[in-house]
Amino acid sequence: MATPEYAPLESLLSRTIGLEPSRLGRTALQHAVATRLHALAPLTVAAYMDLLHRDSLELQALVEELVVPETWFFRDDGAFALLQGRARQLWAWQSPQPVIRVLCAPCSTGEEAYSIVIALLKGGMKLESIRVDAVDISKRLLQVARAGVYGYNSFRGKNMRIRDDYFNQVAEGVFEIDPHYGTPINWLQLNVLHGLPVAGASEQGARGDGLYDVVFCRNLLIYLSEDARNCLLSAIRRRLKGDGLLFVGHAEAMSLDRRHFSQAGDAGQFAYQQVMAAPLPSPAEQAPPEPAGASRPRPRQDIARKALRTAPQPQAPQPPPPPRTGTDQLVAEARRLADAGRYADAERVCEEALQADRLHAGAHCLSGVLAEARGNGAQAERSYRRAIYLDPRQKQALVHLSLLMEKRGGAAEAGTLRRRAAKIA
Ligand SMILES: C[S@@+](CC[C@H](N)C(=O)[O-])C[C@H]1O[C@@H](n2cnc3c(N)ncnc32)[C@H](O)[C@@H]1O
């Protein structure tokens, strides 16, 4: 139980860093205060409380005593497997590779931020396409993170191989990460309850929407009061792309409001996606359905082949993309399932999307990817060609088909397809 003299301190910490003292254990708070009193002696507890309200440096010194730095490389490694899979599936194959921005808040001594970089590299990303903003309230912990030097305790579980692959042993039991892997990381000392960084803000000349592709916010929410947790989760929603991923700690998943976040990946990966507001039906969806084949042409294989042989025409400026339809959402859901390796579920949802709209190029392309994953190259080829026939600017289908043709020894067609894909922004 808290003694009455600690009550003002508990409310100060709750207001400033969102801490719910009971989550930390009250003796932890008393121990931290005792350490500071020892450093500042002679001082009474009452006088110290008074000092804390006036002196922000002393408040920071107390926070440094209170923080829980527990972390290690590839902690809860399912999260990193999902990130690596997403990189391979969605980003790494694109040319040029998109810049992928990740927020790691809080990062403690840096193991999580470096693990993110390593997972993205393993997923085929180039170092220069990766940006990680790694945030923590503790100056002391960030110094360790910047130095990148770790002991045995930072390497646990199954991922010991990363120590050989990415670190140099500098003394017995001391491992320094190759500084190369720290270059995409921007370390920031910040109280996340005062606001989150804007993606790309620290990069010279970077343009964009200020949103992150991925946010890791693991093992902080459990220490926060309900208000602070809601405040932080709202801030995350404002900073995360619509199709972005949020990773939380395993004990934190149940604190997410399912109206705002839905599970992505397997249960053990603790990954979530924002639930987007249901779109209004588009005028086309409100109109009575056309009789099958009445006005839109059915795709034909010979026409598709001809379309593939035709040199790309200069494109007029494209109109903005239409609002997401129900089929788009089914395709996005199928893609999410495929990202998580749930191929059978992904195929079921993709088929549902195709039933809803046989002319949806994205659904045909995804159907091709899933067929390829099942080892059915012939069906994959048909699906990719159909996607390209329906939408000659379907970049993913062009790239996948070019890779498939390359595997089959069709270098000439593969080259043509790749050049077509490269011209599409
Ligand atoms: C248990 S570590 C989690 C590290 C890492 N995310 C992981 O899961 O391994 C918790 C971290 O939260 C940081 N922290 C606590 N309150 C914070 C705040 N208000 N703003 C930013 N960081 C905070 C602490 O300094 C500590 O490094």
Side-chain angles (χ1 to χ4, degrees):
M1 281 297 286
T3 58
E5 65 186 337
Y6 279 86
L9 175 56
E10 291 186 357
S11 97
L12 175 66
L13 289 171
S14 170
R15 276 200 315 278
T16 49
I17 63 168
L19 179 72
E20 168 61 54
S22 61
R23 313 264 169 140
L24 209 55
R26 288 209 154 91
T27 51
L29 184 52
Q30 287 166 3
H31 182 77
V33 170
T35 307
R36 292 308 302 152
L37 285 179
H38 183 72
L40 299 167
L43 203 65
T44 62
V45 175
Y48 183 63
M49 300 296 163
D50 200 39
L51 176 66
L52 278 175
H53 281 91
R54 287 182 281 111
D55 186 342
S56 60
L57 288 179
E58 184 47 44
L59 181 58
Q60 177 67 30
L62 179 66
V63 168
E64 295 285 354
E65 293 299 332
L66 271 175
V67 289
V68 180
E70 184 74 352
T71 186
W72 59 92
F73 288 100
F74 286 85
R75 179 180 193 171
D76 298 331
D77 58 359
F80 298 97
L82 180 57
L83 181 65
Q84 184 178 327
R86 180 163 274 220
R88 176 157 299 134
Q89 185 100 31
L90 295 184
W91 306 319
W93 56 266
Q94 294 191 45
S95 174
Q97 267 188 6
V99 169
I100 296 306
R101 295 192 167 85
V102 184
L103 175 64
C104 173
C107 65
S108 185
T109 39
E111 287 90 331
E112 191 172 77
Y114 290 118
S115 303
I116 290 167
V117 173
I118 293 171
L120 289 171
L121 290 171
K122 286 170 140 204
M125 298 295 296
K126 297 183 189 128
L127 205 59
E128 56 273 23
S129 308
I130 304 171
R131 306 275 189 283
V132 180
D133 284 336
V135 168
D136 203 278
I137 199 169
S138 166
K139 241 186 215 161
R140 179 173 56 90
L141 300 179
L142 283 169
Q143 271 166 10
V144 177
R146 280 195 187 92
V149 178
Y150 298 98
Y152 286 131
N153 204 29
S154 295
F155 303 90
R156 305 181 202 174
K158 295 175 276 173
N159 286 290
M160 302 303 274
R161 261 207 63 188
I162 64 142
R163 212 168 65 190
D164 302 332
D165 294 346
Y166 297 91
F167 291 77
N168 301 312
Q169 180 156 8
V170 289
E172 181 60 40
V174 183
F175 305 88
E176 183 176 24
I177 191 150
D178 184 330
H180 191 58
Y181 301 115
T183 51
I185 306 177
N186 179 32
W187 305 103
L188 293 161
Q189 193 210 348
L190 210 85
N191 177 350
V192 291
L193 294 172
H194 290 172
L196 295 175
V198 173
S202 58
E203 297 158 35
Q204 251 189 348
R207 279 182 307 163
D209 49 14
L211 302 178
Y212 290 98
D213 298 278
V214 178
V215 172
F216 274 70
C217 181
R218 304 196 309 166
N219 302 302
L220 169 61
L221 294 166
I222 31 166
Y223 297 111
L224 301 183
S225 66
E226 193 181 340
D227 280 355
R229 217 168 37 232
N230 290 338
C231 164
L232 179 53
L233 286 168
S234 302
I236 288 173
R237 288 175 58 214
R238 288 194 295 275
R239 285 286 186 275
L240 185 61
K241 283 189 177 170
D243 58 353
L245 279 184
L246 165 66
F247 291 95
V248 296
H250 62 85
E252 297 168 328
M254 64 250 201
S255 65
L256 296 186
D257 185 337
R258 293 312 157 99
R259 286 170 305 173
H260 299 318
F261 292 102
S262 65
Q263 187 183 312
D266 294 334
Q269 294 173 314
F270 306 105
Y272 294 85
Q273 250 167 345
Q274 297 207 58
V275 175
M276 307 312 276
L280 293 171
S282 66
E285 284 174 315
Q286 288 169 346
E290 291 172 348
S295 56
R296 296 172 85 181
R298 306 293 298 172
R300 283 211 332 261
Q301 202 67 33
D302 52 340
I303 302 178
R305 292 223 174 80
K306 191 166 166 225
L308 276 172
R309 284 199 300 272
T310 310
Q313 299 300 310
Q315 298 289 327
Q318 296 296 305
R324 286 169 73 91
T325 64
T327 314
D328 286 337
Q329 283 184 332
L330 282 171
V331 173
E333 170 66 4
R335 195 170 288 130
R336 186 183 70 72
L337 291 164
D339 279 354
R342 293 167 57 187
Y343 295 123
D345 291 337
E347 278 192 301
R348 186 180 42 70
V349 177
C350 188
E351 186 47 42
E352 217 180 299
L354 284 168
Q355 294 292 337
D357 184 356
R358 300 298 305 173
L359 304 178
H360 195 290
H364 282 288
C365 177
L366 184 58
S367 167
V369 172
L370 293 167
E372 240 190 312
R374 244 191 301 110
N376 191 340
Q379 191 185 328
E381 180 183 349
R382 277 195 296 280
S383 296
Y384 294 145
R385 290 194 189 282
R386 185 155 295 191
I388 296 164
Y389 164 62
L390 290 167
D391 177 3
R393 294 177 60 78
Q394 234 294 338
K395 187 170 178 173
Q396 290 213 19
L398 287 164
V399 172
H400 283 297
L401 185 59
S402 81
L403 293 171
L404 192 62
M405 291 297 104
E406 203 136 58
K407 262 196 241 161
R408 298 232 185 105
E413 190 185 3
T416 309
L417 289 162
R418 224 181 4 257
R419 281 190 294 281
R420 280 182 63 183
K423 288 190 179 138
I424 299 168

